[in-house]
Amino acid sequence: MRYLVPLLCCLAIAFRADKPAYRLYTPNLKSTTYAKLLRQAVEADVVLFGELHNDPICHWLEFQLTKDLQAAKKGNLILGAEMFEADNQTALTDYVQGKTTAKELATQARLWSNFNTDYKPIADFAREEHIPFIATNVPRRYARLVSRQGLAALDTVSAEAKTQMAPLPLTVDLTLPGYKGMMDMMGGSSSPGSTTSAANTNPHGMTSDMTANFARAQAIKDATMAHFILQNRKPGQTLLHFNGDYHSKNFEGIVWYLRKQQPTLKILTISSVEIPDIDKPASENRNLADFVIAIPADMTKTY
């Protein structure tokens, strides 16, 4: 009997009564609820859902939030997503309006490889409920152009191409922690405008200008998503936007460009993190967003 009690204690620790798939936290990492998130989302002008692209919990919650916001907003909901590029807007609109089939959409738009499993349920719901769906991202060829040649290269694209991105010239603040962190991660110099001599290359073989252009390519995406969010949202509507977590966490990226143009906009941000123990978020997860979704690090992936 004396060995039984310690054994039961060990079992109680090893096997918890519940294994939740996620926990929700406030910016200060206080536990909160989906009901509170939904209430605030209903009152927001823009909701930025920062997802982990291959995480099934993110995609399930995005779908649930879409359905619940549609029920609450009674037709005043609009959707937007990084996963659709601006030059594919006609193809996306035709599908959501029931003019084309899923097979036709796949031939007309550059769909992500995980579209069918992760985003098609939301697109199909928008189709059923007649919810406008906005392709907010800059066409990838222009982001690649910036990453290789810098923002000045966009001056050479056609007038039509310029309608598929944020208005030029674009202001990019490379001192923002998100962009600076991206450059630091790539071994970038703190002076991105320096000359591109061999002496200024990092261990990855990239010059300071190259790392800065990589961050600028991120910025043209952020700015373009903000541009199409503002261009398509009408007063009284909530625009629910799906994007990679990096594009909106720490209230930067898309948020920075939205606030630059409309400082009074009511923006709600959601950040997704994977951690070993979702009951014990680390201090590094503080102030990432208005709501932080903690997901088990060993969660299965969609790809």
Side-chain angles (χ1 to χ4, degrees), residues 174-183 215 218 246 249-250 252-253:
L174 292 178
T175 66
L176 289 172
Y179 298 144
K180 186 176 184 303
M182 180 181 291
M183 293 188 295
Q218 177 86 349
Y246 200 88
K249 76 175 182 179
N250 295 313
E252 293 183 32

Side-chain angles (χ1 to χ4, degrees), residues 75-98:
N76 280 321
L77 176 67
I78 183 169
L79 302 176
E82 170 196 1
M83 300 80 200
F84 298 100
E85 296 166 27
D87 58 339
N88 287 161
Q89 182 65 69
T90 299
L92 178 59
T93 297
D94 284 349
Y95 180 72
V96 169
Q97 291 182 352

